[in-house]
Amino acid sequence: MKLEIDQQRLISEIETLAAFSDAEPPAVTRIVFTPTDLKARAWVIERCEEAGLAVRQDAIGNIFARWKGAEPAAPAVGTGSHIDAIPNAGKYDGVVGVLGGLEAIRGLQRSGFRPRNSIELLVFATEEPTRFGIGCLGSRLLSGTLSAEAATKLRDRGGESVDEVRKRAGLHGNLQDVKLAKGYYKGFVELHIEQGPLLELAQISLGIVKSIAAPASLRISIEGAGGHAGGVLMPDRKDALCAAAELILAVEHVARSSGALDTVATVGVCDVFPGAVNSIPSRVGITLDIRDTDLARRDGAMRTIERASRDIAAKRQVSIRSELLNADAPADCAPEVRGALAESCRQHGFPFLEMVSRAYHDSLFLSRIAPTGMLFIPCRNGYSHRPDEYAAPEDIARGALVLAESLATLSA
Ligand code: GLV
Ligand code: MN
Ligand code: MN
């Protein structure tokens, strides 16, 4: 089997997909189910059909593109990632795993390989939390980690429900049917940029993920009292934004002093009401994203933040309410998938690093229902979720090659 990756075509497809964006290049903004995202999804579906794959979509918009194997009833071998992108992002996060996965399948087709198990490209819907406040909505539903009832309660910042948004996108099926049966996949592999600097620092171009860190996120509402910026004297204020500021610094302090670099915490959203220059903020909404490779340490940090928030509320006479959006457990990658990836690297003499994924991925949830693994490639300076995110063409093609060989091993 002579397996070759068409690097030029793959890179040109990544560039084409990047043009489906609501931000000026090089930035990419592609929020799930916006008109731009829908056009991008249609373009990806066309590429899959062009490759002879049978395409279906489920009720939340996960796209499945299947290359039928010699034993079509046997569990499939899956690969894929996402194409939605946070505001002001780059062109590689998720996309490398989708278009790299597609090119891996096309490379296998060109090589004359015939899979025993079907090989399926999976484009996960709404991996980024931008629209509905929770990441990996598609894979949470696929794995049964989130119930259909809980998913229907989610709304975007404009107040539209998941059901309204997905139905307008033409997705009319029943959310209950999204969950995959255990055994649907024999194995799953996601190719992704590292989103951190370790591969580049080690000058090693491939990373085989051992485990995926555990993320949790909360929506926090702070309610104080508004009023005239001139009229209300300082001792009489219950400024919600000042309380939020104190809480944000407490979050940073807790993460910095956990005793491990693996604890990271971020407040990435701050909505101020009424948001007028001469009005004391009466209400503030912030989000908290907190992660660790160690579940007990992450949960301990969350308890410390909770205590700090009670103290700040009492001291400033505001109310602080938190709503837990998700608190996921870490996942270990499956030995058989790691083994297939490592074997391909060894055969080519490609050095690889065994590593932890600090970002979360749909693979975290797929791992609940299938043996799952991830392959990382470097990104320049470790940059991700920003417009200057960059992965070198040779690294992308090398990743797609190792992915293709692993899919072949798992489906033979
Ligand atoms: C995924 O995009 C993450 O925030 O880890
Ligand atoms: Mn991302
Ligand atoms: Mn991603």
Side-chain angles (χ1 to χ4, degrees):
M1 170 172 92
K2 182 155 168 40
L3 183 50
E4 273 169 4
I5 293 301
D6 187 340
Q7 176 176 318
Q8 219 182 334
R9 176 175 182 182
L10 175 52
I11 299 305
S12 121
E13 286 178 341
I14 291 173
E15 293 300 325
T16 305
L17 189 52
F20 293 94
S21 167
D22 288 322
E24 283 298 306
V28 176
T29 297
R30 202 162 43 235
I31 311 302
V32 71
F33 301 145
T34 53
T36 302
D37 178 60
L38 291 173
K39 282 187 209 134
R41 290 165 58 86
W43 180 85
V44 169
I45 289 173
E46 270 171 41
R47 301 289 75 71
C48 292
E49 286 174 343
E50 208 171 68
L53 309 181
V55 177
R56 74 176 172 95
Q57 287 188 69
D58 66 14
I60 193 66
N62 293 307
I63 301 167
F64 301 81
R66 184 172 278 230
W67 180 22
K68 210 196 268 180
E71 290 180 24
V77 172
T79 186
S81 195
H82 61 99
I83 63 161
D84 59 330
I86 66 163
N88 206 37
K91 33 179 119 138
Y92 302 94
D93 174 9
V95 167
V96 162
V98 170
L99 295 178
L102 176 59
E103 177 53 25
I105 292 176
R106 290 188 304 228
L108 286 168
Q109 290 173 334
R110 289 191 298 268
S111 75
F113 174 77
R114 290 292 164 261
R116 191 178 73 81
N117 303 78
S118 298
I119 297 183
E120 189 164 81
L121 180 71
L122 178 38
V123 186
F124 294 101
T126 186
E127 191 266 355
E128 299 290 5
T130 313
R131 182 143 197 181
F132 296 112
I134 185 168
C136 300
L137 186 51
S139 52
R140 283 177 195 276
L141 285 165
L142 284 175
S143 60
T145 314
L146 185 77
S147 68
E149 299 75 59
T152 45
K153 293 200 185 111
L154 297 170
R155 290 184 178 271
D156 64 14
R157 271 156 111 181
E160 275 200 301
S161 71
V162 164
D163 271 344
E164 284 163 338
V165 173
R166 75 182 177 97
K167 286 185 178 156
R168 205 173 45 241
L171 301 164
H172 293 287
N174 191 336
L175 282 185
Q176 311 273 3
D177 300 335
V178 172
K179 186 170 181 315
L180 294 176
K182 224 177 170 124
Y184 179 94
Y185 283 123
K186 180 183 176 207
F188 189 89
V189 201
E190 180 171 1
L191 171 66
H192 207 282
I193 56 168
E194 181 200 338
Q195 305 185 285
L198 300 183
L199 287 172
E200 190 180 63
L201 286 172
Q203 298 189 308
I204 292 181
S205 44
L206 292 163
I208 298 181
V209 175
K210 297 182 287 190
S211 58
I212 306 176
S217 59
L218 290 97
R219 198 179 281 136
I220 302 174
S221 319
I222 301 158
E223 187 107 32
H228 195 285
V232 184
L233 297 179
M234 298 314 282
D236 301 328
R237 293 196 180 199
K238 294 176 185 167
D239 184 323
L241 185 55
C242 290
E246 214 170 309
L247 181 54
I248 293 167
L249 290 176
V251 164
E252 184 192 43
H253 175 74
V254 169
R256 276 181 188 270
S257 53
S258 85
L261 284 175
D262 286 340
T263 318
V264 286
T266 307
V267 175
V269 169
C270 183
D271 289 325
V272 181
F273 182 84
V277 66
N278 54 354
S279 176
I280 299 164
S282 59
R283 207 162 63 226
V284 170
I286 60 172
T287 54
L288 168 63
D289 174 311
I290 179 161
R291 311 176 187 207
D292 208 314
T293 48
D294 182 293
L295 187 58
R297 194 169 50 215
R298 186 205 66 197
D299 289 347
M302 286 170 73
R303 284 192 295 274
T304 312
I305 291 171
E306 182 58 42
R307 277 197 298 277
S309 120
R310 277 200 299 271
D311 292 349
I312 294 165
K315 188 176 80 184
R316 290 187 167 270
Q317 291 182 286
V318 297
S319 90
I320 304 184
R321 278 180 300 108
S322 338
E323 181 195 351
L324 183 67
L325 298 174
N326 64 288
D328 301 301
D332 287 328
C333 291
E336 57 268 49
V337 179
R338 287 170 62 182
L341 291 164
E343 188 46 35
S344 165
C345 292
R346 279 192 203 103
Q347 291 213 346
H348 289 282
F350 296 152
F352 61 87
L353 211 61
E354 297 204 290
M355 56 201 308
V356 168
S357 170
R358 290 166 198 287
Y360 61 69
H361 300 281
D362 293 299
S363 285
L364 180 64
F365 300 101
L366 257 279
S367 73
R368 318 285 197 228
I369 53 162
T372 297
M374 292 193 74
L375 180 64
F376 277 175
I377 58 165
C379 50
R380 191 162 59 200
N381 299 324
Y383 291 167
S384 184
H385 282 185
R386 44 189 279 178
D388 51 359
E389 179 179 270
Y390 175 78
E394 318 74 65
D395 287 332
I396 297 173
R398 197 181 293 105
L401 178 69
V402 170
L403 172 65
E405 287 178 347
S406 310
L407 295 175
T409 306
L410 294 166
S411 64

